[in-house]
Amino acid sequence: MPQAPHVFHDPALLRTEIRKAQADGKRVGLVPTMGALHQGHLSLVAESQKSCDLTVVTIFVNPTQFAPGEDFAKYPRTLEADLKLLSEFDPVWVLVPEVDAMYPPGSTTEVKAPEIALPLEGTFRPIHFDGVATIVLKLFQVAPADAAFFGQKDYQQVRVIEEMVRDLIVPIEIVRCPIIRESDGLAMSSRNRYLSSEEREIALSISRSLHDAVQQIVGGETDAQLLRDRIEHALREAGFREIDYVSIASPHTLESVETIEGDVVILVAAKVGTTRLIDNVLVSFPVSS
Ligand code: PAF
């Protein structure tokens, strides 16, 4: 039965209530978000509800993961619509904190993201993962859940969080959830709403070229450079002018591979107009179409 979510603004109160629920034997799941919810986020809530008795969603546009000149100011803030979407679920708790509650005035402590943050996104957004690691650790403090659910769409982000949790011995299970795509293949993202219809058409070449690359691997292609070149060519043909990277890498270390002879992740980041898009696909051996 749909029910309005219980909204908390005070992190300390949320933590107290979570502790009480856990003392009553409830398993708690956490879905950290920046709001502007779409089906990708909702799939994380659904996944949490499968294995947890209580799901906590956080909605916080985290300033420290945006560099000056990125889209922090224009990032969509759609709280009312988000709460409506969440009311379709079994009741969830939602934390909507003020910036001062997450970054108490005068605070200067931050988390330095693990080394896996350095390539790919780290090259183009050097401060991004320090900001993500800092806020995610804070969210784990205020919402000390048993498990936290993250989408594989932000593949490197999930790897950063997995390594941070291992390194800092944070007692939480990290659950990776599959990418949710529009019917035409576009990976769901809060930033898709920035795209004009013409840009959206161009954007589709990302998922198409990833799909084609997987088919070529299924067909026996092992030359990673050849596949990277083909993906880049397809993106340029479609209209992308700014391609940050096309990488075929180890899913564990994110180091680029030359010969595809085991599991790989193919990652792309490219900009259409002013919108930067990322997408990826995991290829697990033995491969099949
Ligand atoms: O993936 C996101 O939406 C954000 O990076 C996260 C994990 C909520 C941290 O702000």
Side-chain angles (χ1 to χ4, degrees):
M1 177 71 167
Q3 211 176 306
H6 185 123
V7 179
F8 293 79
H9 295 284
D10 176 2
L13 181 60
L14 173 71
R15 179 166 44 200
T16 304
E17 293 303 318
I18 289 176
R19 288 290 189 218
K20 278 191 209 158
Q22 285 168 326
D24 286 344
K26 293 203 165 104
R27 176 174 158 85
V28 178
L30 174 66
V31 179
T33 81
M34 297 204 299
L37 301 183
H38 51 67
Q39 291 302 320
H41 297 111
L42 301 184
S43 74
L44 304 179
V45 175
E47 203 50 42
S48 170
Q49 292 202 328
K50 269 194 221 158
S51 62
C52 298
D53 307 297
L54 169 65
T55 294
V56 179
V57 177
T58 62
I59 297 181
F60 180 66
V61 185
N62 172 39
T64 64
Q65 67 189 74
F66 292 82
E70 290 188 349
D71 57 344
F72 174 68
K74 81 161 186 179
Y75 197 86
R77 287 153 172 92
T78 58
L79 184 59
E80 209 178 307
D82 293 347
L83 295 178
K84 191 149 178 268
L85 286 170
L86 292 172
S87 69
E88 298 299 318
F89 287 85
D90 288 341
V92 296
W93 291 358
V94 183
L95 174 69
V96 189
E98 295 295 333
V99 173
D100 279 4
M102 298 311 295
Y103 292 94
S107 58
T108 55
T109 308
E110 25 173 356
V111 177
K112 180 173 173 294
E115 282 184 3
I116 193 115
L118 295 178
L120 306 170
E121 289 299 289
T123 309
F124 295 90
R125 305 184 72 192
I127 63 150
H128 175 66
F129 284 127
D130 289 347
V132 169
T134 301
I135 192 62
V136 169
L137 187 65
K138 286 172 185 249
L139 292 171
F140 290 169
Q141 300 289 349
V142 300
D146 300 282
F149 296 78
F150 292 92
Q152 205 152 281
K153 153 92 171 21
D154 297 297
Y155 189 85
Q156 192 175 9
Q157 170 172 282
V158 182
R159 288 292 301 115
V160 165
I161 293 165
E162 286 171 347
E163 299 221 338
M164 176 186 75
V165 161
R166 180 201 62 196
D167 296 353
L168 301 183
I169 319 173
V170 186
I172 193 163
E173 180 194 344
I174 302 302
V175 183
R176 292 185 188 189
C177 301
I179 298 176
I180 304 297
R181 297 183 180 280
E182 305 280 359
S183 55
D184 56 13
L186 186 68
M188 290 202 183
S189 163
S190 304
R191 290 187 168 101
N192 289 350
R193 65 188 80 195
Y194 300 153
L195 299 171
S196 67
S197 54
E198 196 190 324
E199 288 169 344
R200 202 175 181 291
E201 216 26 66
I202 295 172
L204 284 180
S205 63
I206 298 184
S207 51
R208 245 187 253 130
S209 60
L210 287 175
H211 176 79
D212 290 349
V214 174
Q215 291 314 305
Q216 291 167 61
I217 296 172
V218 170
E221 185 57 69
T222 59
D223 184 339
Q225 189 54 50
L226 184 85
L227 289 176
R228 282 192 282 266
D229 290 346
R230 284 182 184 160
I231 294 171
E232 192 162 335
H233 180 74
L235 297 179
R236 291 208 187 278
E237 283 271 282
F240 274 104
R241 299 282 163 265
E242 246 182 277
I243 300 171
D244 283 353
Y245 56 80
V246 174
S247 174
I248 302 184
S250 150
H252 190 65
T253 64
L254 296 183
E255 272 166 28
S256 187
V257 303
E258 289 315 315
T259 308
I260 302 168
E261 46 199 1
D263 297 355
V264 287
V265 57
I266 313 178
L267 306 112
V268 170
K271 214 165 163 190
V272 55
T274 55
T275 308
R276 189 170 180 278
L277 299 169
I278 59 172
D279 198 352
N280 68 80
V281 64
L282 252 183
V283 187
S284 302
F285 276 68
V287 285
S288 60
S289 51

